[in-house]
């Protein structure tokens, strides 16, 4: 990326971040659902769920809650992108001497920053509830890397959704399946407790691979080949969604 593109992206990212800071209720709303689920599953359902592990249920299900937090957050990326498209600001930007893709990257980086803040809030609540881990700094860095990759993957899906949506409701509705997906994975219960077809789906979808990887890293357990499966899923979906988003943007604003 050229110096010109970097400076354009920095300026436009500052614009997007200011919009987020002026409406902090978006971050509050983003974390409310995951925190409510965290409290519900730990204090209401947790005592009745058997995971086959010695670790506390809070530690078992926290990775799934983190992914739900991200899925909730990217809905606002699609929402903000749709508003920019409808307001005509994209046409104004494309008529100016700025790097064209800097407009999209500004939204992507804003999504990354907002979601990292939301994740920090949820982890903070989990710590107050008693979550503890002996994971090393390297393990935490690996967890952070997987989460950042997950954010970027879902954000580029949100970019395509925001550019393709016809209504404001449609711009954010794409996130509903993403929020639901962790419930049909190993996030809350072992996949072996599910009926055959459901278990097969749960064991062979990307969220399970990501959840298992994060869980193993935080529990100081071997990740085995699971981390490569998770990375393959995320990188494959990221590349596809990036190409779809860029293609849609270029066809929409020639």
């Amino acid at each position: 990326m050229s110096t010109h593109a970097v400076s354009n992206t920095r300026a436009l990212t500052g614009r997007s971040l200011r919009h987020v800071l002026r409406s902090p209720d978006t971050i509050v709303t983003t974390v409310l659902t995951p925190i409510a689920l965290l409290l519900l599953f730990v204090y209401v359902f947790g005592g009745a769920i058997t995971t086959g592990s010695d670790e506390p249920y809070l530690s078992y299900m926290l990775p799934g809650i983190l992914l739900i937090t991200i899925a909730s957050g990217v809905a606002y990326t699609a929402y903000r992108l749709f508003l920019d498209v409808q307001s005509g600001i994209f046409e104004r930007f494309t008529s100016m001497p700025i790097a064209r893709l800097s407009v999209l990257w500004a939204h992507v980086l804003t999504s990354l920053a907002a979601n990292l803040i939301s994740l920090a809030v949820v982890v903070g609540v989990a710590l107050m509830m008693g979550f503890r881990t002996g994971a090393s700094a390297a393990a935490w860095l690996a967890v952070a890397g997987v989460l950042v990759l997950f954010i970027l993957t879902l954000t580029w899906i949100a970019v395509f959704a925001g550019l393709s949506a016809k209504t404001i409701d449609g711009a954010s509705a794409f996130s509903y399946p993403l929020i639901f997906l962790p419930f049909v994975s190993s996030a809350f219960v072992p996949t072996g407790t599910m009926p055959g077809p459901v278990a097969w789906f749960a064991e062979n979808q990307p969220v399970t691979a990501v959840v298992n990887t994060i869980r193993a890293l935080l529990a100081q357990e071997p990740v085995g080949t699971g981390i490569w499966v998770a990375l393959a899923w995320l990188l494959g979906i990221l590349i596809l969604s990036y190409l779809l988003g860029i293609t849609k943007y270029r066809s929409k604003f020639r």
Side-chain angles (χ1 to χ4, degrees):
M1 185 180 287
S2 67
T3 304
H4 175 63
V6 170
S7 62
N8 292 160
T9 302
R10 186 189 305 118
L12 291 171
T13 301
R15 166 188 172 268
S16 296
L17 286 173
R18 284 191 293 272
H19 287 175
V20 173
L21 293 175
R22 288 169 184 166
S23 57
D25 55 302
T26 57
I27 293 180
V28 173
T29 304
T30 297
V31 300
L32 277 181
T33 298
I35 289 175
L37 289 172
L38 191 64
L39 296 171
L40 180 67
F41 273 88
V42 171
Y43 294 128
V44 179
F45 301 138
I49 297 176
T50 302
T51 63
S53 171
D54 294 332
E55 65 179 339
Y57 186 62
L58 173 59
S59 300
Y60 182 89
M61 53 92 71
L62 180 60
I65 293 295
L66 297 179
L67 300 192
I68 289 175
T69 303
I70 295 170
S72 300
V74 297
Y76 285 99
T77 300
Y79 171 78
R80 288 190 295 267
L81 194 59
F82 177 80
L83 291 183
D84 273 359
V85 170
Q86 294 301 304
S87 68
I89 194 70
F90 270 40
E91 283 84 353
R92 292 180 59 188
F93 284 148
T94 53
S95 68
M96 297 168 64
I98 62 175
R100 293 190 64 186
L101 292 184
S102 62
V103 179
L104 290 186
W105 276 108
H107 281 280
V108 171
L109 294 177
T110 299
S111 173
L112 180 60
N115 276 289
L116 288 175
I117 293 172
S118 298
L119 288 174
V121 172
V122 173
V123 171
V125 172
L127 289 170
M128 289 189 289
M129 293 172 63
F131 170 69
R132 296 294 182 270
T133 175
S136 64
W140 271 108
L141 285 174
V143 169
V146 171
L147 290 174
V148 166
L149 187 56
F150 193 80
I151 293 171
L152 291 175
T153 300
L154 265 60
T155 296
W156 277 102
I157 296 175
V159 167
F160 179 72
L163 292 173
S164 304
K166 303 300 182 184
T167 65
I168 196 167
D169 292 330
S172 55
F174 86 98
S175 67
Y176 297 156
L178 300 179
I179 295 172
F180 177 75
L181 207 54
F183 291 98
V184 193
S185 73
S186 63
F188 298 101
V189 296
T191 57
T193 63
M194 302 175 185
V198 180
W200 181 89
F201 175 79
E203 291 167 1
N204 294 281
Q205 59 119 323
V207 169
T208 291
V210 175
V211 163
N212 289 345
T213 297
I214 296 174
R215 185 181 293 140
L217 288 167
L218 293 179
Q220 301 173 281
E221 297 175 352
V223 294
T225 59
I227 189 169
W228 303 115
V229 174
L231 292 177
W233 268 113
L234 293 179
L235 288 173
I237 298 172
L238 173 59
I239 292 170
L240 177 61
S241 57
Y242 172 80
L243 293 174
L244 288 173
I246 294 296
T247 302
K248 185 67 178 179
Y249 174 70
R250 285 176 172 164
S251 66
K252 198 176 184 73
F253 303 101
R254 295 180 179 178

